[in-house]
Amino acid sequence: MLLPLLAAALLSCSDQHSRSDFAAYDFGMPEPPAAGSITPLPPPPPADPAKVRLGKALYNDTRLSADDSISCATCHDLGRGGDDGRRYSIGVGGAATAVNAPTVLNSSLNLAQFWDGRALTLEAQVAETVQNPTEMGGDWSVIERRLRDDESMVEQFARVYGTRPGRDEIIDATATYLRALVTPDSPFDRYLRGDAAAIGDGARRGYETFVDLGCISCHQGRNVGGNLFQRFGVMGDYFEDRGSLVAADYGRFNVTGREQDRFRFKVPSLRNVAATAPYFHDGSAATLDEAVRAMIRYQLGRPADDEQVERLGDFLRSLSGELDESLL
Amino acid sequence: MKTLIGAVTSVRAQILVGAALLACLVLLLVMSNHTGQREFRELKQALDELETQNIRMDGSIFLLAFEMHTDFDVLTAQQKDLRETALALASILPDGERAILAPAERKLLMVEDFKSEQSILRNSRAIAHEMIERLWTGPGVDSPATRDALFAVERAFLDFLARRDPKAANRLRAVLENPAVGSAVTDLEEWDVLRAHSLNLIDYIDRLTRLMQSPPFIELPVAIFEQNARLTARLAETSAAASRYRSALFVVALLLLAFSAVMVARVRGYLQAIARANNDLESRVARRTQELADVNAALRREIAERESVESQLRIAQKLESIGQLAAGVAHEINTPTQYVSDNVSFLSAVWKDLTPVLEDYERIALRGEADPARSRRIWSEADVPFLSKEVPAALRQSSAGLQQITRIVLAMKNFSHPGSDALQPADLNRAIESTATVARNEWKYVAELTLDLDPDLPLVPCNVSAFNQVVLNLLINAAQAVEEARPKGELGHIRVATRTRAECVEISVEDDGPGIADAIRDRIFDPFFTTKEVGKGTGQGLAISHRVIHGQHGGTLSVEPAPQGRGARFVIRLPQGRLEERGACPALTAADAM
């Protein structure tokens, strides 16, 4: 009775032994779920259009900086993916920022703001950025005075808030604008909603690779990231290899002071990532290709071939969405 | 003063002053009665909300840990909500920063850690597994030494994943660090990756386990519970203060009335008599009102105390039943895991035993080197007849074991389905099956469970997770009752049946335990009533079940005479159809039920 079975087993593995011994593990085992999932971006929250317009004006207003030289848009240019394409940004008086500027697009969907998550809300983020000496170095009383001298500003604030321009209203309007900066309808989102032709073959296989290699267990959810903190250098010492450690490299440790948070950063959203080179908190990866290879080496510690890297690039490029024109 | 009194000499003015005074008094009374309470209700609502949010968050962690949820968005949103509620509480609760916000922040940090650890763990497990796959298809597996090494590694790896205990971890570490194993493996890159990820996995599983057992996990519910208790005590205090305040108001009122009476007496003789009569009446009314207020305050104090104890017990019960279930499920999963694991070890040994037979066959069939004597020896050494009997059996048993595990996990998923409080059409038969599976450990040693489910049962509006709790409760009660009554070594009987009736569906849970004495039949749905020994139950189960079925579902939960005249029979009746238009669904009388 056993002989035919044995013969079959033998024929199938006479030149290459397979693991028929462990086949028992396949019996009745449920398929393991994919390690994560990506969902389409939700539409931006409803907001008063006049307030969004005011926020947009403030976002582009250099009067928010100490010497009236730069605005939010200087470092977060919506025409180039919501950042400035530099490794470190240049603030008032030529000071360089300690970390790479992340994009503002979809940032309202992140669990917290900044690489180390030190601001829990966009309001806290705006309040800090305007005053930060290496960014805008602004002084609220000076900013309020400047805006109150401007008739059209006074009129807009009166219409939206019924008050004169003030710190809290400036912050509120800017944060409202930031919340509107959502980029729905990327090719990949259309694909997720059932339009099979929205992405090409490369991107589709790139997505499979993204799941198979394990990228998805950190970069997942609606923002393809942005919902957890994770160590940079899980499977290899990134900082040792890069050298010259600075305070900003300690990441979330600088906020919580807990040892386990050393070198942990907010996992960045990969939406629109194709447009936001250079990459990482230190801007060390100049191209998407380099960034992907670093991820494979330091976060996954596993082999991967050039073709896989290329396909991952195709997939990541399909994550770029559209911003409503009225917001630009 | 003189001029004032002089100014109010007209009757109209006096009446106006009197009316205004009375209006003021009433207003003050109402306010002193209500302000404290409203604030109390607000705080209590926020605390309850925080408690619910915390439980939901734990539910998500559970689902993620068991990999039934696959992204962190839901959990992240729940963290945000919980932080907001905690912040709001901190601003309205005296000492809220320390008592609520701090434990909430610690818990949120813990949840962040959980997400980081959990995502790395998944990857290391998947990558290590993938490397094992690759090694099995690599060029070196032709050599028996390599195959042996891979057997040893994979067995230790799977065994560790199944057991997740320090012993299995040590065995895996020993295999990975065994130089003989290392040198037998030829694909060095895969081997290094496999080793790194397996060691990583041991670390992370250990860390994750410790994280899930760390104090911040339960510190928050305990803090919420303490605040609830304090709040209740404070309410009692404020209502005492309010009643003192009211007494003062009455004294003032009496003085004012007296004053106006004196004044009136001085101005008009005939008004004097009326004023006195009036004064008398007012003071009687005031005394009476004062008495009423005192009784009221006492009642409120009593209610507050009762609520505090009740909420303590509710939490205690929730923790108790979650703990029990978790232990039960772990046990249920462990047993099949153990024998699947043993079978796999057995099967690997079998493969080793069979290898000579196959090699012999290869020599005969493919190379034509027949040698009957050799074949006979090999055949009998391998004891093929024995193996051909045992191997299918082992496979069958493993397959059954794995199906069992799958079933339990699915049942757990159904059971813990994080629902809203809304009633939605639900398949009660399925809910009952899941609950019976989840609670298997509670009944299987004491009773045989029969499910007699009406296949045509319609969907009824129901909050499944609350309903599951009720059925679970009844099942556990039945199991405990049967345990008391059954003779040693014999199993009792529990029967759960569903039936479709005219206006409603009926779910009955019967046991053949000692039954319920007539003397206590009326009291078993009272909160705090219990017949169990101290420590065995809080006595809240039936009361809460009663509230869930009557309050939330508009159904009935009743005890009815058992059909065989022995044991207890609990019957739940839930109305069919929409909430607004459903008919009454009264408990049957004893006569109808026969």
Side-chain angles (χ1 to χ4, degrees), chain B residues 159 161-163 332-342 401 405:
Chain B
D159 186 52
L161 282 188
R163 293 174 201 265
E332 285 288 317
I333 292 189
N334 236 359
T335 314
T337 306
Q338 204 109 358
Y339 63 69
V340 168
S341 189
D342 291 345
I405 295 171

Side-chain angles (χ1 to χ4, degrees), chain B residues 519-577:
Chain B
I520 60 170
R521 191 170 289 232
D522 295 337
R523 286 192 295 142
I524 55 172
F525 295 119
D526 284 357
F528 314 120
F529 179 78
T530 178
T531 58
K532 297 169 194 165
E533 314 143 42
V534 178
K536 256 221 141 165
T538 52
Q540 283 285 289
L542 282 174
I544 290 171
S545 301
H546 192 261
R547 213 154 47 218
V548 166
I549 297 297
H550 286 248
Q552 203 178 353
H553 291 82
T556 60
L557 167 60
S558 49
V559 212
E560 289 174 8
Q564 282 89 30
R566 207 159 67 85
R569 172 178 155 91
F570 284 85
V571 179
I572 304 171
R573 293 196 178 78
L574 295 181
Q576 296 185 28

Side-chain angles (χ1 to χ4, degrees), chain A residues 1-2 6-7 10 14-17 19-22 24-25 27-30 33-37 39 110-111 120 212-214 217-218 220-222 227-230 234-235 252 256 258 260-261 264 300-303, chain B residues 67 70-73 76 80 83 109 112-113 115-117 119-120 122-123 127 130-131 133-134 136-137 141-142 147 151 154-155 158 189 193 196-197 200 204 344 347 351 354 357-358 361-362 384 388 395 399 402 406:
Chain A
M1 179 211 95
L2 207 60
L6 280 181
L10 189 73
S14 56
D15 47 4
Q16 200 184 46
H17 286 272
R19 293 148 59 220
S20 49
D21 345 38
F22 281 96
Y25 277 99
F27 280 63
M29 247 336 210
S37 52
T39 46
N110 291 340
L111 84 169
L120 291 178
D212 289 347
L213 294 192
S217 64
C218 293
Q220 34 69 44
R222 56 192 180 167
N227 59 11
L228 75 157
F229 294 96
Q230 194 54 275
V234 175
M235 297 303 299
R252 189 140 178 81
T256 66
R258 302 186 315 155
Q260 65 262 50
D261 282 329
R264 267 192 196 159
L300 294 169
R302 54 163 299 140
Chain B
E67 305 193 9
T70 52
D71 72 50
F72 296 126
D73 277 355
T76 307
K80 247 189 185 142
R83 176 181 281 114
L109 277 177
E112 279 311 328
D113 286 344
K115 291 194 286 188
S116 311
E117 308 282 22
S119 55
I120 290 184
R122 284 174 184 168
N123 269 352
I127 294 173
E130 186 189 329
M131 292 305 126
E133 296 280 340
R134 287 205 198 182
W136 274 110
T137 54
V141 292
D142 285 343
R147 282 204 309 263
F151 273 133
E154 180 158 15
R155 180 162 356 122
L158 292 174
E189 188 186 359
V193 173
H197 279 285
N200 205 18
Y204 273 89
V344 169
L347 289 171
W351 178 251
L354 279 181
V357 178
L358 293 175
Y361 183 87
E362 188 190 7
V384 175
S388 58
L395 290 175
S399 160
L402 292 166
T406 314

Side-chain angles (χ1 to χ4, degrees), chain B residues 266-284:
Chain B
R266 275 180 46 191
V267 180
R268 287 249 204 287
Y270 68 90
L271 271 184
Q272 201 175 25
I274 300 172
R276 238 190 246 113
N278 228 351
N279 187 2
D280 216 40
L281 184 67
E282 291 290 346
S283 74
R284 262 209 326 268

